[in-house]
Amino acid sequence: QVQPAESGGGLVQAGGSLRLSCATSERTFSLYAMGWFRQAPGKEREFVAGISAGGFNPLYKDAVKGRFTISRDNAKNMVYLQMNSLKPEDTAVYYCARSRYTSPSDRSSDFSSWGQGTQVTVSS
């Protein structure tokens, strides 16, 4: 399996925005749902957002609904996470992952290929 590669993390003030990108060269990219997870220091990895293979039915963690938007471009093998109104509690390493299925879920066990992660730090 080809490992996804995240980019776009950085340091931003509370209330600011960042756009994370995830690239993969996997030829079957358009057949699988994709997701974003995050892990803060001392905490377990948690689901943030997911999107179906066709780019529909986005799924979000309650804490990011209305602030984060997941999207994908199957022609470019890219997945994005637009993050607005960022809060200090959004600080974490963000991971892109490819699902085993066409529909998104919030279970990490449903994802088979993970990126190395990109750091997002939100200052207060």
Side-chain angles (χ1 to χ4, degrees), residues 25-85:
S25 58
E26 188 168 1
R27 290 186 295 175
T28 57
F29 171 79
S30 65
L31 300 181
Y32 299 100
M34 295 292 294
W36 287 95
F37 289 74
R38 67 187 182 188
Q39 187 167 20
K43 295 187 178 181
E44 293 188 354
R45 185 170 57 191
E46 63 178 6
F47 171 80
V48 176
I51 191 166
S52 70
F56 306 107
N57 303 324
L59 189 65
Y60 297 99
K61 175 183 174 63
D62 285 346
V64 307
K65 284 181 180 178
R67 300 189 297 121
F68 290 11
T69 302
I70 187 172
S71 61
R72 66 189 294 165
D73 185 336
N74 284 348
K76 297 181 178 179
N77 278 24
M78 296 290 294
V79 181
Y80 307 99
L81 186 67
Q82 178 67 43
M83 305 186 296
N84 299 328
S85 301

Side-chain angles (χ1 to χ4, degrees), residues 65-109:
K65 284 181 180 178
R67 300 189 297 121
F68 290 11
T69 302
I70 187 172
S71 61
R72 66 189 294 165
D73 185 336
N74 284 348
K76 297 181 178 179
N77 278 24
M78 296 290 294
V79 181
Y80 307 99
L81 186 67
Q82 178 67 43
M83 305 186 296
N84 299 328
S85 301
L86 282 161
K87 303 176 181 180
E89 51 263 44
D90 295 319
T91 295
V93 177
Y94 283 71
Y95 298 91
C96 175
R98 196 213 76 177
S99 174
R100 306 174 194 274
Y101 310 109
T102 57
S103 297
S105 77
D106 59 2
R107 296 184 298 271
S108 60
S109 58

